Amino acid sequence: MGFRITTWNVNGIRNPFGYHPWSVNRTYQAMFDTLEADIVVMQECKIQRKDLQDDMVLIPGWDVHFSLPKVKKGYSGGLLLRKEETSVVDFFSSPSRRFLNQLVYGGLVFQDRDEGREQPVLWDLCREFHPTRQGMYTCWEVKKNARPGNFGSRIDYVLCSTGIKSWVYNADIQHGLMGSDHCPVYATFSDIVKKDGQDFHLLDLLNPEAYEIYCVSLVTKKTGVNCGRSFYMCSRPLGPSGDKEIGTEFRCRTFIWSSDWSGRL
């Protein structure tokens, strides 16, 4: 089939639903699919902006553009629809999407990976906690008022490396919070996290310079294979419990061999 352009004076955009075959399946999606056109132009839509509904403007597979009169409201008006021809392969093969999907675990990559990007390195935290959720969009087109019908895209992420993935216990979007064409996206970290098999308070790891303040360098004097090795341990005094603690102002469980300390996390 060639490229088809259809023009139709509908005498009111809701008017066709009173006739067969449109009355059988009263949806705009079915109407435009039945027309089998690549571009549809409608005249005399006779509708005001305030009366537009989601199923009129958010039609999967179509770009929808209304032209409504500003002076004589509800009179005449036009509608232009253009069929979207972007395939799944085309979408995921675009340079920006392909770049992202090669970096993220679980990213869909068509054909061979690019040189130097053979293995993913980042985790998409929201998707990790909600692997099957549909419509988890974070951005909506304002001109189409696409947000109420959740006709959007997901282009906002919280990404992390494998080393700190276990520190996160929740991640999600906040689609109900208004203020932008995007919504907030968040990840929540545990207060106590593990690093090199030890428990640390997250704030201590986020402030590595704190080790220089709260840690003291000592040398092992006990006879054995580690005799003479230097190490860092917390210099704060023991608390009332008489034991090392986590997340308090007293001595914590920090113990790091000097040879293992690189000055950064």
Side-chain angles (χ1 to χ4, degrees), residues 1 51 53 99 112 115 118-119 185 207 210 214 223 240 253:
M1 182 177 178
D51 296 323
Q53 299 176 0
F99 172 77
D112 295 335
E115 184 178 354
E118 290 80 6
Q119 296 295 328
V185 182
N207 182 24
Y214 296 115
T223 302
R253 300 176 183 178

Side-chain angles (χ1 to χ4, degrees), residues 11 18 45 53-54 60 69 76 80 84 104 122 125 156 162 173 196:
N11 192 29
C45 293
Q53 299 176 0
D54 290 344
S76 189
L80 172 66
E84 297 175 340
V104 177
L122 297 172
L125 292 176
D156 303 273
T162 299
I173 66 173
D196 299 329

Side-chain angles (χ1 to χ4, degrees), residues 86-238:
T86 303
S87 66
V88 173
V89 176
D90 291 338
F91 175 79
F92 284 104
S93 297
S94 64
S96 57
R97 176 58 61 173
R98 179 177 172 83
F99 172 77
L100 175 65
N101 282 12
Q102 290 184 102
L103 293 178
V104 177
Y105 285 94
L108 185 59
V109 179
F110 289 93
Q111 300 180 346
D112 295 335
R113 287 177 169 268
D114 297 339
E115 184 178 354
R117 300 195 180 112
E118 290 80 6
Q119 296 295 328
V121 294
L122 297 172
W123 294 91
D124 176 0
L125 292 176
C126 284
R127 184 53 72 194
E128 282 297 304
F129 284 94
H130 308 281
T132 61
R133 184 192 294 180
Q134 299 293 318
M136 193 165 61
Y137 303 129
T138 64
C139 181
W140 303 264
E141 188 170 340
V142 175
K143 291 183 178 180
K144 291 185 178 181
N145 192 29
R147 192 162 186 170
N150 196 30
F151 191 78
S153 56
R154 195 169 81 90
I155 57 176
D156 303 273
Y157 309 88
V158 179
L159 305 174
C160 79
S161 63
T162 299
I164 65 172
K165 178 174 176 285
S166 62
W167 299 2
V168 181
Y169 70 85
N170 185 31
D172 207 344
I173 66 173
Q174 294 177 287
H175 63 277
L177 294 183
M178 310 299 288
S180 169
D181 57 336
H182 295 250
C183 74
V185 182
Y186 70 86
T188 308
F189 288 72
S190 302
D191 291 330
I192 306 302
V193 298
K194 283 190 177 295
K195 184 178 186 297
D196 299 329
Q198 299 185 59
D199 289 334
F200 290 89
H201 196 284
L202 178 65
L203 295 182
D204 290 337
L205 295 181
L206 294 178
N207 182 24
E209 290 78 8
Y211 285 114
E212 300 177 4
I213 301 175
Y214 296 115
C215 288
V216 60
S217 178
L218 301 174
V219 177
T220 304
K221 297 180 180 179
K222 185 177 180 179
T223 302
V225 295
N226 290 320
C227 183
R229 290 187 67 184
S230 63
F231 61 91
Y232 290 102
M233 66 170 291
C234 183
S235 63
R236 292 176 289 192
L238 289 172

